[in-house]
Structures are given as structure tokens and as C-alpha cells.
Amino acid sequence: MVRGKTQMKRIENATSRQVTFSKRRNGLLKKAFELSVLCDAEVALIVFSPRGRLYEFASSSILETIERYRSHTRINNTPTTSESVENTQQLKEEAENMMKKIDLLETSKRKLLGEGLGSCSIDELQKIEQQLEKSINKIRVKKTKVFREQIDQLKEKEKALVAENVRLSEKYGNYSTQESTKDQRENIAEVEPYADQSSPSSDVETELFIGLPETRSRRISPKVWLV
């Protein structure tokens, strides 16, 4: 992946500016150290952060390097006030204290990762173990909280799906009832023509003779219609 070209202008975002400062400061200190070791050069580096913090590096002594610089540029004739010397000494002490704190933090970090435990005593190992247990407990509490939130979300989705299922079931039930009624009506309509043909109404004509046999000439033949 080709790295994009960085524009040489002030970074407006405060967070990005601080991250870039930290990365490039560390890189600059590393380059100064490599230059002093590889080339046997006397290097002194002073950096003030946007918040006013001092970061410095010196291959020998930063004060001696500053004095050498003044001598080289012919500024060493200017008298140095006691106040400036005290301020420089104070800044140097603060920088040394900061470097010690950074070293302690790096050492503690390595021990928490299980590195460099050979020189640790039983008490130190127990303290490290207690710190790790506290961290694990916090992680478990956070994990349990995340799981509960996910379970609650799944339950809400389940309720919504159940409600949707009930609604669709009711809708399908009404539709099935309507279709069943429609089918029954169609079946009745199909059966009625066949029922008319299988039992048609027939007219039966019957002659009845009333009287004695000898009087059949005077027969009366009423007609009876049987349906």
C-alpha cells in the first residue's frame, strides 16, 4: 500500500495532532539515539510539547553540548544568569524524573505481559497476580453486561417475531375460512343441476272406473295427477 504524502501544515484536529506529535517525537528521539551511536556524534535534542512539557535527549550531557554550541557560535561570552541556570537545571530534573516514570511504566507493562519476571520476588509476583485478577474481573463484568444487552435485544426481536406470527396466523385463518365457505358454495352450485335430473317431477295419468262390471259403459274416468 502506497503511503500518502503528508501536507506540511498545522493539523486542525486536536486528537490527531497529539497522536502525530507522540509518534514523531518518539521517532525523532530514536533517530537522535541512532545517530549518536552509529556515527559517534554528540547529539542533544530538546522538544517542548504544545502543552509545555519538555522532552530531551543527549548523548553525553545536554548542558555540555549547549555550552559547546555557544562556544562554537561565539555566544559563550554572554554571561549566563543564575536564574537561567536554575531553570535549566529544573527542566533537566523534570525530564529525568519523567524518563524514570516512563521506564517504570514500561517495566510494569512487560511484567503484566509475563516478561522479565526472573528478578521478581514473591511479593511482587503476588501483586502482579492480584492486578491481573482485578483486570480479569472487570473484563468479565463488562462481558456479562454486553451478553445481557445482547440477550435483551434478542428477546425484543423474539417478541416482535411472535407478534408478527400471530398476526399472520390470524390473517391466514380468516382467509382459509373465506376460501372454505366459497368452496362449499361452489360445490352446492355444482350438485343442484344433477339433483334436478335424478328426481324429476312426473305426471301420472290414472283412470278409475267406479261401478259394477256390467255398468262399465257408464264409466267415469276422473283424472288424478300424482306428482
Side-chain angles (χ1 to χ4, degrees):
M1 182 176 180
V2 181
R3 184 176 180 181
K5 185 177 180 181
T6 303
Q7 296 181 359
M8 289 294 104
K9 66 178 183 179
R10 181 177 181 272
I11 300 174
E12 298 298 331
N13 186 274
T15 303
S16 300
R17 186 166 61 247
Q18 182 63 30
V19 172
T20 303
F21 172 78
S22 299
K23 290 182 178 179
R24 302 219 171 195
R25 178 202 65 204
N26 295 335
L28 184 60
L29 293 172
K30 181 180 178 182
K31 292 295 183 183
F33 171 75
E34 292 175 353
L35 181 63
S36 64
V37 174
L38 296 176
C39 302
D40 194 19
E42 184 177 353
V43 180
L45 176 64
I46 299 175
V47 179
F48 285 96
S49 70
R51 297 181 180 179
R53 293 185 177 181
L54 172 64
Y55 301 93
E56 63 177 2
F57 168 80
S59 58
S60 57
S61 173
I62 193 168
L63 292 178
E64 293 177 359
T65 304
I66 292 174
E67 290 296 330
R68 183 177 179 182
Y69 170 77
R70 287 178 175 177
S71 176
H72 182 74
T73 58
R74 296 180 181 179
I75 303 178
N76 55 341
N77 295 326
T78 303
T80 304
T81 62
S82 59
E83 183 179 357
S84 62
V85 173
E86 291 178 357
N87 291 334
T88 304
Q89 186 66 26
Q90 183 180 359
L91 292 175
K92 182 179 179 180
E93 291 177 357
E94 291 179 357
E96 291 177 352
N97 292 331
M98 187 173 296
M99 294 300 295
K100 290 179 181 179
K101 291 180 180 180
I102 293 174
D103 293 337
L104 290 175
L105 290 175
E106 290 292 337
T107 303
S108 177
K109 178 181 177 181
R110 287 195 296 270
K111 289 180 179 179
L112 290 175
L113 294 175
E115 300 175 358
L117 299 176
S119 59
C120 294
S121 62
I122 297 297
D123 294 336
E124 291 178 349
L125 293 175
Q126 288 179 350
K127 290 180 180 179
I128 294 172
E129 184 179 5
Q130 292 175 358
Q131 291 178 357
L132 292 175
E133 288 179 353
K134 291 181 181 179
S135 300
I136 291 173
N137 291 332
K138 291 181 180 179
I139 293 171
R140 287 175 178 172
V141 170
K142 180 62 177 178
K143 183 178 70 173
T144 303
K145 182 179 179 181
V146 173
F147 280 164
R148 288 178 179 176
E149 292 176 353
Q150 291 180 354
I151 290 172
D152 292 337
Q153 292 177 359
L154 292 174
K155 286 182 178 179
E156 293 296 329
K157 290 182 180 180
E158 181 183 7
K159 290 181 181 178
L161 292 174
V162 169
E164 182 68 14
N165 189 18
V166 171
R167 186 183 68 82
L168 293 175
S169 298
E170 292 177 354
K171 182 178 179 181
Y172 180 74
N174 295 333
Y175 177 78
S176 300
T177 303
Q178 294 176 0
E179 290 294 325
S180 178
T181 304
K182 182 178 178 182
D183 293 340
Q184 290 178 0
R185 291 177 180 176
E186 291 179 353
N187 292 334
I188 293 172
E190 292 177 356
V191 170
E192 284 181 352
Y194 295 100
D196 294 339
Q197 294 178 4
S198 61
S199 58
S201 59
S202 58
D203 297 337
V204 179
E205 184 176 350
T206 307
E207 293 183 355
L208 297 179
F209 298 95
I210 302 174
L212 297 176
E214 62 275 8
T215 62
R216 285 182 178 178
S217 59
R218 298 179 180 180
R219 61 183 179 181
I220 301 174
S221 59
K223 296 182 178 180
V224 179
W225 301 91
L226 299 179
V227 181

